């Protein structure tokens, strides 16, 4: 089962005139992250991932999605977070990077959020655990902070690895 992200007729995913952005929010452990909806092709249930030898520890392997082979990265491992068993909430986000697709394993997908650009605060210089260059900002929510990721930069660093397993 998969969820394909579709855009309602006549509605823009990023509305410059009103200053809003649509983000797909997901979680890794206790943290909530967001990526631009325009980067997400679809969200799929966990499926069989074929391991590829001699790849970095964060590369889970390859999946066959409707006759398209897609490399899959474990974002939890990529960020240096402790490993965790897959749960029924675990998902693979199929992300566009340029003209190619990459799967990223997340602990769970939460919702699509419409965020006003006024709500987005710059990332403080003191945030260095993941590196400011990978963040597009922070959004204060009711009880948590939504961390906005620049998925192109995060996965762009893996371009060489992904090319080596035959995708990009």
């Amino acid at each position: 089962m998969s969820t394909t992200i579709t855009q309602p007729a006549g509605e823009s995913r990023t509305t410059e005139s009103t200053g809003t952005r649509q983000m797909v929010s997901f979680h890794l452990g206790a943290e909530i992250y967001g990526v631009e909806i325009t980067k997400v092709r679809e969200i799929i249930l966990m499926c069989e991932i074929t391991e590829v030898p001699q790849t970095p520890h964060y590369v889970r392997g390859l999946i066959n999605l409707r006759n398209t082979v897609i490399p899959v990265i474990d974002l939890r491992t990529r960020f240096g977070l402790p490993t965790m068993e897959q749960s029924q909430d675990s998902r693979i986000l199929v992300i566009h990077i340029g003209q190619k697709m990459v799967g990223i394993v997340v602990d769970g997908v939460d919702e699509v959020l419409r965020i006003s650009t006024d709500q987005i605060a710059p990332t403080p210089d003191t945030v260095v655990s993941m590196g400011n260059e990978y963040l597009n900002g922070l959004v204060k929510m009711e009880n948590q902070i939504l961390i906005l990721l620049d998925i192109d930069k995060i996965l762009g660093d893996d371009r060489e690895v992904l090319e080596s397993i035959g995708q990009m």
Side-chain angles (χ1 to χ4, degrees):
M1 175 181 196
S2 71
T3 302
T4 301
I5 305 296
T6 57
Q7 180 177 345
E11 184 176 321
S12 173
R13 290 180 178 184
T14 302
T15 311
E16 298 299 328
S17 60
T18 60
T20 61
R21 296 166 67 183
Q22 284 188 305
M23 310 295 286
V24 175
S25 67
F26 61 90
H27 58 274
L28 295 172
E31 303 300 327
I32 299 176
Y33 297 90
V35 295
E36 290 272 355
I37 196 169
T38 57
K39 296 291 179 187
V40 180
R41 177 170 181 230
E42 63 186 291
I43 302 163
I44 61 173
L45 294 172
M46 291 301 297
C47 57
E48 184 177 334
I49 299 173
T50 303
E51 291 185 26
V52 178
Q54 299 182 5
T55 57
H57 66 285
Y58 56 86
V59 176
R60 292 278 296 267
L62 301 169
I63 61 171
N64 182 351
L65 182 64
R66 292 185 296 282
N67 294 322
T68 301
V69 176
I70 299 172
V72 177
I73 292 175
D74 188 327
L75 206 54
R76 174 180 275 282
T77 306
R78 177 75 170 86
F79 288 172
L81 300 172
T83 57
M84 192 173 96
E85 288 293 319
Q86 257 177 227
S87 74
Q88 65 184 15
D89 294 331
S90 298
R91 297 289 184 269
I92 298 174
L93 294 178
V94 180
I95 303 287
H96 290 283
I97 300 296
Q99 298 299 314
K100 304 294 181 178
M101 290 183 292
V102 176
I104 58 172
V105 175
V106 299
D107 294 346
V109 175
D110 298 315
E111 60 186 319
V112 175
L113 301 169
R114 186 178 302 273
I115 298 172
S116 167
T117 53
D118 296 342
Q119 294 176 277
I120 302 172
T123 309
D125 292 334
T126 55
V127 176
V128 294
S129 64
M130 199 172 62
N132 278 341
E133 69 271 16
Y134 298 134
L135 305 180
N136 281 334
L138 304 172
V139 177
K140 185 176 179 184
M141 307 204 32
E142 287 181 29
N143 297 325
Q144 283 191 292
I145 303 271
L146 175 68
I147 303 166
L148 303 181
L149 298 177
D150 186 335
I151 203 72
D152 285 323
K153 286 185 181 174
I154 292 169
L155 297 180
D157 288 350
D158 298 316
R159 185 173 298 274
E160 195 172 298
V161 170
L162 298 173
E163 285 174 354
S164 72
I165 58 174
Q167 173 61 25
M168 298 188 82

